[in-house]
Amino acid sequence: MADRLYTSSEADEILSALRFETRLEKATLARMAFALSLSRVGAEVPGSPNFSGGEMKRPTFFAQDETFIRTLLSFAYKRPDISEEELFSNRSLTKNHIDHGALLLNELFQTYGRSGDDLIARLVEEVEFSGRRENLGTGLDIFIGRTLLQRGELVMELNNTARHANSHLAIMGKPGVGKTQFLLKMLADIRVQSNYQTNFVYFDYKGDVVDNERFLEIAKVQPYRLLQAGQILPINPFVLPAYDEQTINVSAREKAESFASINNKLGVVQKGTLTEAIRAGYAKRAGTPTPYPDFQDILEIAAAAYEEDGKKDDSLIEVLRDLSDFDLFWKHGSDAPPIEKLASRTLLIDMHTMPVLKELVAYLVIERMYKEMAVLPDSPVVEGRRAIRTILVIDEAHNYLSQKNIFLQRLIREGRSKGVVVFFASQSPNDYQQDFFNFQELLEFAYIFQCEGVAAGSVQKILGCSSKTAKELQTEIARLEPWQVISRSTDKREEFVKFTAEAFYKNY
């Protein structure tokens, strides 16, 4: 039984170059090449007699999917079994598909402007490879630290439906106490434990995560640095599941409400103008292969309406002009199509250089996430473990929690059954005390690092402890050392637990 094969020299050169462009491991790219070739040409793949390329080890290529890949080949070749020689050797079907698939990958790479991001986006739409299969019945049990006195291990059972009604989470603490590293450790563990099947979309408010090369490597996350080096977010906020009149009208109204939720200068008249401009934008693009507008369309329509009415530019036109001129989102004329399914992508969106519109950009992405989630079937549960599809991570969440955004609220309310989870990182338990929405009721996990000026009522609500305990914890929370955490107890006999968080760098 061969334990390695050697790709062709041409395939090796392509995979090496694409590794640099995409930041994906060579074995991952080889699996993608294999899947692309198998889906396009099947049993018609040409033989590859060249063995002078790079080494590909059997365990590295197959990982835990050898049986799955053998079954795929049997199905494609309409044969009851695939021999060892045909499965993995220098004359195997697997090698033929890797080498041929590498050529196909290179063609796509050239077609889509030599962009690694656009290549991945196109592949996601064209092939289903094993990393996208839902992880049924797998426990996401994350080691988070040790209790201070007994030094007992603490584990967060994220998707244990028998123990936890929801999986939403909040991490609170002032800057410099370790909460960001704690969050990154959990995300990296979730990615690894789920075999990279649980995705996340992370809004990096301060820009301190996007430069963490070790985290990017382990989590295999694609960073998008907005307003830096011409990078854009390949998402169009106007993509809809359907383009009938009712769906468009509802979406236009909802977007106007999202704009108004972060800009109190937008009144009833301006919301109406924006709603009509969005409707007209869809009408402009109706019947085309891309039946959705971009922000340049909406700006032009709204500006023309102002000019016709003799109105001067105001805050609405200013916001639309910023969204258009900053080139934050995909627009018509781009070389590659926009991402169609956010649920299957892991993205790190760096917004720290944006002078304005951070919350609005986040809400537009959250709206897309919600609308994708709404049409998904419930995520499967096996032996009490629910498959987690996507985690929405909101950094500096205190900038969002006071705003009445309907899509964020819907994600939190409805995400449980769909396998969609929200992680918040903010500065204090006080941030979650909002009259219009009961965040504490739906936050299953709460971790409090050192905070200042914390109200006893906030501690009581977010930990679910007594008022007496909450008052006693006020002083203790203000005096916590870095990496020390107070959280809800998993033991119903206790009101809280105090532990030392395991730092990200200690685990990786």
Side-chain angles (χ1 to χ4, degrees):
M1 182 174 71
D3 66 346
R4 66 197 64 201
L5 60 76
Y6 291 86
T7 63
S8 71
S9 55
E10 187 174 12
D12 186 54
E13 289 177 6
I14 292 170
L15 295 177
S16 297
L18 291 179
R19 181 182 182 186
F20 175 78
E21 295 290 342
T22 63
R23 297 190 179 186
L24 295 175
E25 294 296 328
K26 225 169 172 182
T28 302
L29 288 165
R31 285 160 66 93
M32 294 165 72
F34 171 89
L36 183 60
S37 173
L38 195 64
S39 66
R40 282 201 181 181
V41 300
E44 303 302 318
V45 65
S48 179
N50 185 307
F51 318 124
S52 58
E55 176 187 82
M56 185 67 61
K57 292 183 178 180
R58 185 182 186 124
T60 304
F61 178 78
F62 285 131
Q64 299 177 350
D65 292 321
E66 181 169 330
T67 302
F68 173 67
I69 291 175
R70 186 191 291 269
T71 303
L72 282 181
L73 287 169
S74 296
F75 179 80
Y77 284 81
K78 295 180 172 58
R79 288 160 48 184
D81 194 21
I82 300 294
S83 70
E84 284 295 322
E85 180 75 11
E86 293 172 314
L87 179 65
F88 202 84
S89 71
N90 279 340
R91 301 186 183 279
S92 64
L93 303 176
T94 299
K95 171 184 159 54
N96 292 342
H97 282 294
I98 292 173
D99 289 351
H100 182 65
L103 301 178
L104 298 177
L105 283 178
N106 190 49
E107 288 178 8
L108 285 176
F109 181 64
Q110 302 296 333
T111 300
Y112 288 95
R114 300 181 60 81
S115 166
D117 298 344
D118 294 335
L119 170 65
I120 299 300
R122 181 66 184 87
L123 284 171
V124 166
E125 296 306 316
E126 180 160 343
V127 300
E128 294 265 352
F129 45 89
S130 65
R132 292 185 64 200
R133 289 177 295 148
E134 290 195 326
N135 200 15
L136 305 184
T138 297
L140 295 178
D141 297 342
I142 311 303
F143 171 61
I144 57 175
R146 301 181 187 276
T147 55
L148 284 177
L149 297 179
Q150 293 84 11
R151 301 298 296 163
E153 291 190 358
L154 285 179
V155 174
M156 179 185 72
E157 298 179 69
L158 182 66
N159 64 337
N160 187 337
T161 60
R163 300 192 66 177
H164 302 293
N166 291 294
S167 298
H168 305 312
L169 175 153
I171 302 174
M172 298 144 279
K174 71 179 188 179
V177 296
K179 70 177 189 289
T180 299
Q181 289 86 343
F182 182 61
L183 173 61
L184 299 186
K185 179 251 190 289
M186 287 195 295
L187 290 173
D189 279 1
I190 289 167
R191 290 283 283 161
V192 172
Q193 285 191 24
S194 70
N195 195 24
Y196 297 93
Q197 295 176 42
T198 296
N199 296 289
F200 66 80
V201 175
Y202 191 131
F203 296 112
D204 186 5
Y205 209 87
K206 303 183 298 296
D208 56 344
V209 178
V210 74
D211 293 327
N212 191 324
E213 295 291 339
R214 186 67 176 138
F215 173 69
L216 300 185
E217 177 186 353
I218 294 168
K220 296 183 181 178
V221 54
Q222 174 66 55
Y224 289 96
R225 298 173 171 86
L226 300 185
L227 296 185
Q228 300 170 67
Q231 282 199 349
I232 68 167
L233 194 59
I235 294 171
N236 184 300
F238 299 98
V239 169
L240 295 173
Y243 295 95
D244 57 277
E245 184 178 358
Q246 183 177 9
T247 302
I248 288 172
N249 289 343
V250 170
S251 178
R253 180 64 181 272
E254 289 173 335
K255 275 201 174 53
E257 293 296 336
S258 284
F259 274 63
S261 73
I262 63 126
N263 190 334
N264 56 18
K265 294 181 181 179
L266 295 185
V268 175
V269 174
Q270 289 168 311
K271 285 196 294 183
T273 301
L274 178 57
T275 300
E276 291 305 317
I278 293 172
R279 289 172 178 164
Y282 282 105
K284 174 183 176 180
R285 298 289 178 178
T288 70
T290 51
Y292 37 80
D294 57 21
F295 279 112
Q296 181 64 34
D297 290 336
I298 308 304
L299 171 62
E300 291 174 356
I301 293 167
Y306 271 50
E307 184 176 354
E308 184 177 343
D309 294 340
K311 295 171 59 177
K312 294 182 179 180
D313 291 353
D314 58 12
S315 55
L316 172 60
I317 299 299
E318 181 183 352
V319 169
L320 291 174
R321 185 172 289 120
D322 286 342
L323 287 167
S324 176
D325 293 349
F326 286 168
D327 284 337
L328 300 171
F329 292 101
W330 180 93
K331 60 183 181 181
H332 290 284
S334 297
D335 293 333
I339 295 173
E340 291 190 14
K341 296 179 181 178
L342 293 184
S344 61
R345 301 293 295 273
T346 288
L347 310 175
L348 175 61
I349 303 172
D350 175 20
M351 303 189 293
H352 85 278
T353 62
M354 294 174 56
V356 292
L357 305 180
K358 290 181 182 179
E359 292 86 2
L360 181 56
V361 168
Y363 284 144
L364 290 169
V365 176
I366 289 170
E367 178 186 351
R368 275 287 310 275
M369 289 184 67
Y370 172 75
K371 289 183 175 177
E372 282 189 24
M373 182 194 82
V375 298
L376 288 173
D378 286 354
S379 65
V381 179
V382 177
E383 297 180 354
R385 297 291 185 154
R386 182 178 295 280
I388 303 295
R389 289 173 168 137
T390 301
I391 299 171
L392 169 67
V393 187
I394 302 182
D395 188 19
E396 297 293 294
H398 43 275
N399 294 295
Y400 298 82
L401 292 166
S402 62
Q403 296 165 4
K404 301 177 181 179
N405 186 267
I406 56 174
F407 295 109
L408 178 57
Q409 293 173 26
R410 289 174 181 174
L411 274 174
I412 296 172
R413 281 200 190 100
E414 303 169 28
R416 177 178 183 265
S417 64
K418 303 288 189 174
V420 177
V421 175
V422 182
F423 283 10
F424 292 106
S426 66
Q427 295 183 357
S428 170
N430 299 345
D431 300 325
Y432 300 87
Q433 309 309 306
Q434 306 296 337
D435 293 334
F436 61 88
F437 190 78
N438 191 343
F439 287 99
Q440 299 84 231
E441 182 185 21
L442 297 167
L443 288 173
E444 191 73 17
F445 302 94
Y447 300 103
I448 306 175
F449 288 69
Q450 184 187 130
C451 302
E452 296 175 349
V454 178
S458 300
V459 175
Q460 181 182 1
K461 288 181 179 179
I462 209 152
L463 291 183
C465 60
S466 68
S467 59
K468 179 177 181 293
T469 299
K471 289 177 182 177
E472 293 171 351
L473 285 176
Q474 273 185 293
T475 302
E476 189 163 2
I477 288 170
R479 295 177 180 176
L480 288 173
E481 296 177 5
W483 302 107
Q484 290 184 347
V485 186
I486 289 175
S487 74
R488 293 175 183 170
S489 174
T490 56
D491 187 340
K492 293 182 179 180
R493 294 174 298 178
E494 300 176 15
E495 290 195 282
F496 69 94
V497 63
K498 186 175 178 180
F499 67 94
T500 299
E502 294 294 326
F504 175 79
Y505 70 86
K506 287 183 180 179
N507 286 270
Y508 298 100

